Structure formats: structure tokens, C-alpha cells
Amino acid sequence: QSALTQPASVSGSPGQSITISCTGTSSDVGVYNFVSWYQQHPGKAPKLMIFDVSNRPSGVSDRFSGSKSANTASLTISGLQAEDEADYYCSSYTTSSTVVFGGGTKVTVL
Amino acid sequence: QVQLVESGGGVVQPGRSLRLACAASGFSFSSYGMHWVRQAPGKGLEWLAVIWYDVSSKYYADSVKGRFTISRDNSKNTLYLQMSSLRAEDTAVYYCARDRRRDQASALWHWGQGTLVTVSS
């Protein structure tokens, strides 16, 4: 149950687009479309932003989008805004019927 | 609206046990899978366990297998996490979360606010 691999940090200027990668294996990301992304602001509980690779819950801005290719999933934030500054985590269902998270990525808006 | 309220956290000595509870409201509790996730101070999220809607299956992270037990009481709309042989490295905020599905870990759709467990002598 090794954690999914995410970059520790990503930054961008307001209005720009950034992409966070999430690399797993053929036992998790590569075999299921149950990849999710969560946003967490300091001191707050995580919030679901993307589920099933590319779907947004109602109320989540369409500036957030997800995709997947082979063992790597990605989260793209378009039109970066100050409020997007937070930690982001990916997760995936696994062939052991468990869940694995990525190590998290700190997004900084310059 | 959906509410998940964790309780039972606090300071506990190493080697002792503690039971966390998560009271659910605003949805049909017995229709969804439920998870426990923790976050050590300054660290990332760590998934711990899931229990399916009908208690038919439970799965655990290797890091807590054999020490932690997830359970639920659908008549009380409550999820539990029994933790034993606690260690300093179990110090964390513990979150309960509701899955999008009932019997597969699709996505953690709703989260509680968490309860802090501190393991210290």
C-alpha cells in the first residue's frame, strides 16, 4: 500500500493554469476509474473536488478538471485564483479493496 | 444537510485503547460505505479503514490492521473506530467520511470536522 506520488508543491500566478500529477500503479490508478481529488485549506477538513477521474460534485467550480492516462491521474486548475491556494490530495481505490492517498501537493498562488 | 460529527478524541497513554465515534445525520446512513482517515500534525492524509453499508465487509490499511477495528451501528446512525495498543505515531486528527457508494470505495463524499487523538505519557 505505497502512497501515490504527487509533487510536493506547484505554483502559478492568478489566471494561469496549473496541473498536479498523481502517479500510482497497475494495482490502483491504472486499473480503476475511482480516482478522486481533495482540497484542504489549513485547519479545515478535506473537500471532494473530483471523483471517478473527471467528475465534479455539484457546487465545485468548472475551473477544476481531472483526467487519467495509464497509471497517472492529473488535476488541472484553470484561471487560478487566490482562494485555490491549499493542499491537494489524490486518492484511488486499489485491487485490495482499500484506498490509497497521495502525499499531497501544496498549491501556491504567486 | 449531511452532518458527520466525530467524538472520543483526547490524550491517551501509549499502549492504551480508545474508541472514536462518528454520529451521522442528514442522509440514509445504512445505505453508504463509511471510512476513517487520519492526518498527523503537519502531514498528509492517511486512509485507515472502510466498512460497507451492510457491515458485510471491512478493509484496513496495513499500518493499523490488527490494532484498529471499524464498526457501525445502523440503528444508531453511528460509525466507530476502536483503537488499541496506541503508539505515539498514532497522534493525529481522525476524520470519518461517507463514501459515494455503498460497497466500493469510490470517493469520500462528505467529511466530518475531525477529532484529535494525542498519544503521550
Side-chain angles (χ1 to χ4, degrees):
Chain A
Q1 292 181 354
S2 298
L4 306 177
T5 301
Q6 297 181 233
S9 63
V10 172
S11 62
S13 299
Q16 286 187 329
S17 293
I18 61 169
T19 296
I20 303 169
S21 62
C22 170
T23 301
T25 69
S26 57
S27 295
D28 39 63
V29 174
V31 70
Y32 292 110
N33 284 329
F34 292 149
V35 175
S36 301
W37 290 90
Y38 303 89
Q39 176 191 65
Q40 187 180 34
H41 287 107
K44 301 294 187 182
K47 174 187 176 183
L48 179 66
M49 304 301 284
I50 295 287
F51 69 95
D52 294 358
V53 175
S54 59
N55 295 284
R56 281 187 309 276
S58 62
V60 172
S61 170
D62 60 4
R63 298 185 298 103
F64 292 83
S65 61
S67 63
K68 190 186 86 167
S69 177
N71 295 338
T72 298
S74 299
L75 173 71
T76 297
I77 309 175
S78 304
L80 198 62
Q81 298 180 1
E83 68 208 49
D84 300 332
E85 187 161 292
D87 294 325
Y88 291 83
Y89 296 89
C90 61
S91 75
S92 176
Y93 188 53
T94 80
T95 54
S96 300
S97 299
T98 60
V99 174
V100 61
F101 279 102
T105 298
K106 182 176 180 59
V107 169
T108 301
V109 181
L110 303 172
Chain B
Q1 73 280 22
V2 172
Q3 274 202 310
L4 298 169
V5 180
E6 301 94 339
S7 62
V11 180
V12 60
Q13 293 180 328
R16 302 296 289 263
S17 298
L18 196 65
R19 189 179 81 158
L20 305 182
C22 170
S25 60
F27 67 99
S28 178
F29 179 73
S30 60
S31 298
Y32 293 93
M34 297 292 298
H35 301 256
W36 285 101
V37 176
R38 71 182 177 185
Q39 186 169 35
K43 302 297 185 181
L45 301 175
E46 180 186 13
W47 179 84
L48 299 178
V50 64
I51 184 168
W52 288 356
Y53 74 108
D54 60 356
V55 199
S56 61
S57 292
K58 308 173 186 180
Y59 298 96
Y60 298 90
D62 288 344
S63 59
V64 302
K65 196 177 299 183
R67 291 193 306 127
F68 290 10
T69 301
I70 189 171
S71 63
R72 64 192 295 163
D73 186 336
N74 285 343
S75 68
K76 296 182 178 180
N77 290 346
T78 303
L79 175 73
Y80 301 99
L81 185 68
Q82 179 70 45
M83 305 184 292
S84 62
S85 304
L86 285 164
R87 311 162 180 164
E89 53 265 37
D90 295 318
T91 294
V93 173
Y94 285 72
Y95 296 100
C96 67
R98 195 206 87 179
D99 201 275
R100 176 172 167 263
R101 301 169 70 102
R102 64 180 192 173
D103 58 3
Q104 222 173 5
S106 163
L108 280 64
W109 201 259
H110 292 286
W111 295 65
Q113 286 306 302
T115 187
L116 176 62
V117 173
T118 302
V119 183
S120 173
S121 54

